[in-house]
Amino acid sequence: MSGKVIVITSGKGGVGKTTSSANLGMALASRGKSVVLIDADFGLRNLDLLLGLENRVVYTILEVLDGECRLEQALVRDKRQPGLALLPAVQRRDKSAVTPEQMQELTGRLAEMFNYVLIDCPAGIEQGFRNAISGAHTAIVVTTPEVSAVRDADRVIGLLGAAGVGEPRLVINRYRPQLAQTNDLMSVDDVLEILAVKLLGVVPEDEQVITTTNRGEPIVLAASPPPAGQAFINIARRLEGEDVPLMEFKLPAGNGFIARLRALFTGR
Ligand code: ADP
Ligand code: MG
């Protein structure tokens, strides 16, 4: 098997990398793919909580690399989706714990065992970021429609290119159609104009993302997933090469009118 190694990254923290990793992993696994999620955000250990697997973590990447356990022993298999496994993060924030060469070797081994190797990247562009991207074939860049997040995404896209990570694709998360094109939030078109990358999907802002996260049950697992969950499922299908049209976000009538009115004045 030669799986795809994809890093999920952003530059800015808190934009939804870990949420995207958990939901995409779960969605791909429910489509019959084998998926391993690597929590490369050392010190924070978020991914296990989002997946509700925290009580089953025994070993981490560190013990695998130190030869204290076998790779298979460190993998936590999801009971809901047996195709999904988690390789937990080192618990202490020790920047020198792992090297890019070690990550390359590890992702290479995992790619022989799984269809997808998804790497949940830490925020920032320091050593942790460089480790996380070093074994990746391609990247998913997550941003919110805020100027500061888009600016950081732009920087990361540049660094990915320089590091030879192929063609990054973009997820715009926490989208609020009613607020797009105000001073603080950009529209999908605005973001795409600045970041010259392919759009993989747009995930709306939804409180249920937060409540499901707190329960350790990614939103894609819901019996009939709300739009945010459906958006992640669509992204998983696009990763699989399916041609899935972008979701339409319906604006409340009043906002639509105001948007049209504004368009008259600004000529957009
Ligand atoms: P990162 O890994 O980039 O730091 P997280 O995935 O931890 O970001 O998300 C940061 C916060 O935003 C979390 O509280 C998460 O529940 C919330 N969040 C993420 N995506 C959405 C969304 N689409 N709607 C609402 N809240 C979201
Ligand atoms: Mg995170």
Side-chain angles (χ1 to χ4, degrees), residues 14 16-19 41 44 46 120-123:
K17 289 177 295 295
T18 303
T19 305
D41 196 356
L44 286 182
N46 257 328
D120 182 21
C121 187

Side-chain angles (χ1 to χ4, degrees), residues 21-35:
S21 303
N23 279 289
L24 293 180
M26 202 58 98
L28 287 165
S30 66
R31 298 175 62 75
K33 297 293 158 183
S34 59
V35 183

Side-chain angles (χ1 to χ4, degrees), residues 16-162:
K17 289 177 295 295
T18 303
T19 305
S20 300
S21 303
N23 279 289
L24 293 180
M26 202 58 98
L28 287 165
S30 66
R31 298 175 62 75
K33 297 293 158 183
S34 59
V35 183
V36 61
L37 290 165
I38 302 182
D39 190 345
D41 196 356
F42 299 165
L44 286 182
R45 275 205 35 195
N46 257 328
L47 199 46
D48 54 344
L49 292 170
L50 261 69
L51 292 164
L53 297 176
E54 70 275 15
N55 292 330
R56 298 185 35 223
V57 172
V58 180
Y59 299 110
T60 71
I61 291 188
L62 201 58
E63 284 81 41
V64 176
L65 294 177
D66 286 350
E68 287 170 27
C69 73
R70 285 180 294 106
L71 180 53
E72 287 75 8
Q73 286 177 297
L75 296 176
V76 183
R77 304 267 174 185
D78 192 282
K79 288 193 174 133
R80 298 156 295 192
Q81 285 298 345
L84 183 72
L86 169 72
L87 182 56
V90 180
Q91 289 177 52
R92 58 192 162 87
R93 188 173 275 289
D94 182 353
K95 301 254 162 61
S96 58
V98 178
T99 66
E101 293 72 31
Q102 286 176 316
M103 279 297 282
Q104 263 174 40
E105 208 252 336
L106 189 63
T107 51
R109 276 167 72 192
L110 288 166
E112 282 167 22
M113 300 159 61
F114 293 89
N115 297 128
Y116 285 91
V117 180
L118 302 183
I119 307 164
D120 182 21
C121 187
I125 51 169
E126 287 87 38
Q127 188 61 46
F129 166 78
R130 288 199 294 273
N131 282 338
I133 68 168
S134 61
H137 305 147
T138 59
I140 296 175
V141 176
V142 183
T143 186
T144 56
E146 290 156 305
V147 176
S148 59
V150 172
R151 196 189 298 127
D152 285 1
D154 189 38
R155 196 141 168 242
V156 154
I157 289 166
L159 292 171
L160 288 167

Side-chain angles (χ1 to χ4, degrees), residues 23-24 27 31 200-204 206 208-209 218-238 242 244-249:
N23 279 289
L24 293 180
R31 298 175 62 75
L200 190 57
V202 181
V203 182
D206 186 342
Q208 287 182 73
V209 172
I219 197 165
V220 296
L221 287 178
S224 51
Q230 195 55 51
F232 282 122
I233 292 169
N234 289 351
I235 292 170
R237 291 175 58 191
R238 292 187 195 109
E242 273 185 55
V244 187
L246 273 184
M247 205 183 273
E248 300 249 355
F249 296 109

